[in-house]
Amino acid sequence: MTSQHLLTIRERLTRTLIDQYRLDYCPQSCQHWVETFIGGQGWPDVDLKKGQESGEVIRTYLERVLAIAYRVHHASEPQVKSVLSCALYYWYQVNPNNWNWWWNQIGKQRLLGGIALLLDDDIDAKWLKRIALDMPKKASMTGANLADLCMVWR
């Protein structure tokens, strides 16, 4: 019975993630992102290397990965799973360190946490371990930043 409750919570969190980040998860958009991803380069319209200067780049890139993770979670397709793995590989290859501390300590973790939650059973464990290394071990902030950290799953 407990596992059914956990599955229900996971499914509700999945829907909340999509709503929270206002992802335009429609199959056409996600399919476009799958088709236009270039291994070792990412998406042509998102220069991840500029993530050091722009939090918008980080948000856009990880929201696309989150949308693809949602698709993998609901319908395991080998090509989509492969693109997802390549997108995570490229993310960690570039590993943008934004000038704004919020993106480094909270922003990317909120999106990566959602990706890990969606992919728990659907992707190589090495990615879950890598994402876990980006997560805070304890909440060390106060106020709104503490509330933001509570949105990060570990």
Side-chain angles (χ1 to χ4, degrees), residues 68 72 76-86 121-124:
I68 294 170
V72 167
S76 188
E77 303 166 64
Q79 179 196 8
V80 178
K81 205 178 222 184
S82 174
V83 168
L84 178 66
S85 188
C86 289
D121 301 324
D122 296 313
I123 198 160
D124 192 320

PDB file of all heavy atoms in Angstrom, residues 68 72 76-86 121-124:
ATOM      1  N   ILE A  68      11.748  16.729 -21.963  1.00  0.00           N
ATOM      2  CA  ILE A  68      12.127  15.448 -22.560  1.00  0.00           C
ATOM      3  C   ILE A  68      12.092  14.351 -21.500  1.00  0.00           C
ATOM      4  O   ILE A  68      11.649  13.229 -21.758  1.00  0.00           O
ATOM      5  CB  ILE A  68      13.502  15.544 -23.257  1.00  0.00           C
ATOM      6  CG1 ILE A  68      13.395  16.485 -24.468  1.00  0.00           C
ATOM      7  CG2 ILE A  68      14.004  14.171 -23.682  1.00  0.00           C
ATOM      8  CD1 ILE A  68      14.725  16.847 -25.097  1.00  0.00           C
ATOM      9  N   VAL A  72      10.077  10.835 -21.553  1.00  0.00           N
ATOM     10  CA  VAL A  72      10.684   9.531 -21.273  1.00  0.00           C
ATOM     11  C   VAL A  72       9.936   8.834 -20.140  1.00  0.00           C
ATOM     12  O   VAL A  72       9.674   7.626 -20.199  1.00  0.00           O
ATOM     13  CB  VAL A  72      12.186   9.679 -20.931  1.00  0.00           C
ATOM     14  CG1 VAL A  72      12.753   8.399 -20.337  1.00  0.00           C
ATOM     15  CG2 VAL A  72      12.974  10.092 -22.162  1.00  0.00           C
ATOM     16  N   SER A  76       8.577   5.435 -22.789  1.00  0.00           N
ATOM     17  CA  SER A  76       9.985   5.154 -23.019  1.00  0.00           C
ATOM     18  C   SER A  76      10.253   4.871 -24.494  1.00  0.00           C
ATOM     19  O   SER A  76       9.836   3.852 -25.026  1.00  0.00           O
ATOM     20  CB  SER A  76      10.426   3.973 -22.163  1.00  0.00           C
ATOM     21  OG  SER A  76      11.815   3.817 -22.248  1.00  0.00           O
ATOM     22  N   GLU A  77      10.936   5.826 -25.130  1.00  0.00           N
ATOM     23  CA  GLU A  77      11.296   5.690 -26.539  1.00  0.00           C
ATOM     24  C   GLU A  77      12.823   5.744 -26.608  1.00  0.00           C
ATOM     25  O   GLU A  77      13.425   6.696 -26.129  1.00  0.00           O
ATOM     26  CB  GLU A  77      10.706   6.842 -27.344  1.00  0.00           C
ATOM     27  CG  GLU A  77       9.193   6.959 -27.231  1.00  0.00           C
ATOM     28  CD  GLU A  77       8.689   8.284 -27.756  1.00  0.00           C
ATOM     29  OE1 GLU A  77       8.843   8.529 -28.969  1.00  0.00           O
ATOM     30  OE2 GLU A  77       8.157   9.066 -26.960  1.00  0.00           O
ATOM     31  N   PRO A  78      13.459   4.749 -27.219  1.00  0.00           N
ATOM     32  CA  PRO A  78      14.923   4.690 -27.242  1.00  0.00           C
ATOM     33  C   PRO A  78      15.596   5.960 -27.782  1.00  0.00           C
ATOM     34  O   PRO A  78      16.577   6.426 -27.203  1.00  0.00           O
ATOM     35  CB  PRO A  78      15.222   3.486 -28.126  1.00  0.00           C
ATOM     36  CG  PRO A  78      14.011   2.620 -28.010  1.00  0.00           C
ATOM     37  CD  PRO A  78      12.855   3.567 -27.854  1.00  0.00           C
ATOM     38  N   GLN A  79      15.079   6.533 -28.864  1.00  0.00           N
ATOM     39  CA  GLN A  79      15.707   7.731 -29.436  1.00  0.00           C
ATOM     40  C   GLN A  79      15.603   8.911 -28.464  1.00  0.00           C
ATOM     41  O   GLN A  79      16.557   9.667 -28.277  1.00  0.00           O
ATOM     42  CB  GLN A  79      15.063   8.109 -30.772  1.00  0.00           C
ATOM     43  CG  GLN A  79      15.690   9.373 -31.355  1.00  0.00           C
ATOM     44  CD  GLN A  79      14.866  10.026 -32.457  1.00  0.00           C
ATOM     45  OE1 GLN A  79      13.740   9.639 -32.719  1.00  0.00           O
ATOM     46  NE2 GLN A  79      15.445  11.036 -33.076  1.00  0.00           N
ATOM     47  N   VAL A  80      14.454   9.058 -27.847  1.00  0.00           N
ATOM     48  CA  VAL A  80      14.244  10.167 -26.911  1.00  0.00           C
ATOM     49  C   VAL A  80      15.135   9.981 -25.683  1.00  0.00           C
ATOM     50  O   VAL A  80      15.751  10.926 -25.200  1.00  0.00           O
ATOM     51  CB  VAL A  80      12.756  10.274 -26.529  1.00  0.00           C
ATOM     52  CG1 VAL A  80      12.536  11.384 -25.517  1.00  0.00           C
ATOM     53  CG2 VAL A  80      11.899  10.498 -27.766  1.00  0.00           C
ATOM     54  N   LYS A  81      15.227   8.764 -25.208  1.00  0.00           N
ATOM     55  CA  LYS A  81      16.086   8.457 -24.059  1.00  0.00           C
ATOM     56  C   LYS A  81      17.552   8.753 -24.387  1.00  0.00           C
ATOM     57  O   LYS A  81      18.294   9.272 -23.554  1.00  0.00           O
ATOM     58  CB  LYS A  81      15.905   6.991 -23.687  1.00  0.00           C
ATOM     59  CG  LYS A  81      16.207   6.652 -22.274  1.00  0.00           C
ATOM     60  CD  LYS A  81      15.934   5.166 -22.057  1.00  0.00           C
ATOM     61  CE  LYS A  81      15.244   4.962 -20.762  1.00  0.00           C
ATOM     62  NZ  LYS A  81      15.032   3.561 -20.441  1.00  0.00           N
ATOM     63  N   SER A  82      17.950   8.449 -25.606  1.00  0.00           N
ATOM     64  CA  SER A  82      19.316   8.720 -26.049  1.00  0.00           C
ATOM     65  C   SER A  82      19.598  10.228 -26.081  1.00  0.00           C
ATOM     66  O   SER A  82      20.652  10.688 -25.633  1.00  0.00           O
ATOM     67  CB  SER A  82      19.541   8.098 -27.427  1.00  0.00           C
ATOM     68  OG  SER A  82      20.802   8.454 -27.924  1.00  0.00           O
ATOM     69  N   VAL A  83      18.650  10.996 -26.615  1.00  0.00           N
ATOM     70  CA  VAL A  83      18.810  12.461 -26.652  1.00  0.00           C
ATOM     71  C   VAL A  83      18.889  13.009 -25.230  1.00  0.00           C
ATOM     72  O   VAL A  83      19.710  13.885 -24.938  1.00  0.00           O
ATOM     73  CB  VAL A  83      17.673  13.126 -27.453  1.00  0.00           C
ATOM     74  CG1 VAL A  83      17.662  14.638 -27.252  1.00  0.00           C
ATOM     75  CG2 VAL A  83      17.807  12.786 -28.926  1.00  0.00           C
ATOM     76  N   LEU A  84      18.066  12.483 -24.354  1.00  0.00           N
ATOM     77  CA  LEU A  84      18.085  12.925 -22.964  1.00  0.00           C
ATOM     78  C   LEU A  84      19.451  12.685 -22.335  1.00  0.00           C
ATOM     79  O   LEU A  84      20.025  13.572 -21.685  1.00  0.00           O
ATOM     80  CB  LEU A  84      17.002  12.205 -22.175  1.00  0.00           C
ATOM     81  CG  LEU A  84      16.932  12.531 -20.698  1.00  0.00           C
ATOM     82  CD1 LEU A  84      16.515  13.977 -20.477  1.00  0.00           C
ATOM     83  CD2 LEU A  84      15.970  11.605 -19.995  1.00  0.00           C
ATOM     84  N   SER A  85      19.995  11.520 -22.557  1.00  0.00           N
ATOM     85  CA  SER A  85      21.315  11.189 -22.021  1.00  0.00           C
ATOM     86  C   SER A  85      22.383  12.117 -22.607  1.00  0.00           C
ATOM     87  O   SER A  85      23.256  12.610 -21.887  1.00  0.00           O
ATOM     88  CB  SER A  85      21.638   9.729 -22.312  1.00  0.00           C
ATOM     89  OG  SER A  85      22.813   9.345 -21.653  1.00  0.00           O
ATOM     90  N   CYS A  86      22.303  12.372 -23.913  1.00  0.00           N
ATOM     91  CA  CYS A  86      23.253  13.286 -24.567  1.00  0.00           C
ATOM     92  C   CYS A  86      23.110  14.708 -24.029  1.00  0.00           C
ATOM     93  O   CYS A  86      24.106  15.413 -23.855  1.00  0.00           O
ATOM     94  CB  CYS A  86      23.050  13.287 -26.078  1.00  0.00           C
ATOM     95  SG  CYS A  86      23.583  11.779 -26.898  1.00  0.00           S
ATOM     96  N   ASP A 121      13.522   5.762 -12.529  1.00  0.00           N
ATOM     97  CA  ASP A 121      13.587   4.383 -13.033  1.00  0.00           C
ATOM     98  C   ASP A 121      13.944   4.294 -14.509  1.00  0.00           C
ATOM     99  O   ASP A 121      14.065   3.206 -15.045  1.00  0.00           O
ATOM    100  CB  ASP A 121      12.227   3.696 -12.838  1.00  0.00           C
ATOM    101  CG  ASP A 121      11.802   3.673 -11.386  1.00  0.00           C
ATOM    102  OD1 ASP A 121      12.681   3.515 -10.518  1.00  0.00           O
ATOM    103  OD2 ASP A 121      10.592   3.826 -11.123  1.00  0.00           O
ATOM    104  N   ASP A 122      14.088   5.427 -15.166  1.00  0.00           N
ATOM    105  CA  ASP A 122      14.156   5.421 -16.623  1.00  0.00           C
ATOM    106  C   ASP A 122      15.493   5.832 -17.217  1.00  0.00           C
ATOM    107  O   ASP A 122      15.572   6.043 -18.428  1.00  0.00           O
ATOM    108  CB  ASP A 122      13.078   6.362 -17.183  1.00  0.00           C
ATOM    109  CG  ASP A 122      11.685   5.888 -16.843  1.00  0.00           C
ATOM    110  OD1 ASP A 122      11.416   4.688 -17.026  1.00  0.00           O
ATOM    111  OD2 ASP A 122      10.877   6.716 -16.383  1.00  0.00           O
ATOM    112  N   ILE A 123      16.525   5.977 -16.420  1.00  0.00           N
ATOM    113  CA  ILE A 123      17.802   6.421 -16.984  1.00  0.00           C
ATOM    114  C   ILE A 123      18.952   5.808 -16.205  1.00  0.00           C
ATOM    115  O   ILE A 123      18.794   5.374 -15.062  1.00  0.00           O
ATOM    116  CB  ILE A 123      17.894   7.964 -16.991  1.00  0.00           C
ATOM    117  CG1 ILE A 123      18.983   8.419 -17.962  1.00  0.00           C
ATOM    118  CG2 ILE A 123      18.090   8.520 -15.609  1.00  0.00           C
ATOM    119  CD1 ILE A 123      18.870   9.842 -18.406  1.00  0.00           C
ATOM    120  N   ASP A 124      20.093   5.794 -16.824  1.00  0.00           N
ATOM    121  CA  ASP A 124      21.308   5.254 -16.222  1.00  0.00           C
ATOM    122  C   ASP A 124      21.549   5.903 -14.857  1.00  0.00           C
ATOM    123  O   ASP A 124      21.470   7.125 -14.711  1.00  0.00           O
ATOM    124  CB  ASP A 124      22.480   5.544 -17.164  1.00  0.00           C
ATOM    125  CG  ASP A 124      23.732   4.789 -16.780  1.00  0.00           C
ATOM    126  OD1 ASP A 124      24.022   4.669 -15.571  1.00  0.00           O
ATOM    127  OD2 ASP A 124      24.437   4.332 -17.688  1.00  0.00           O
TER     128      ASP A 124
END
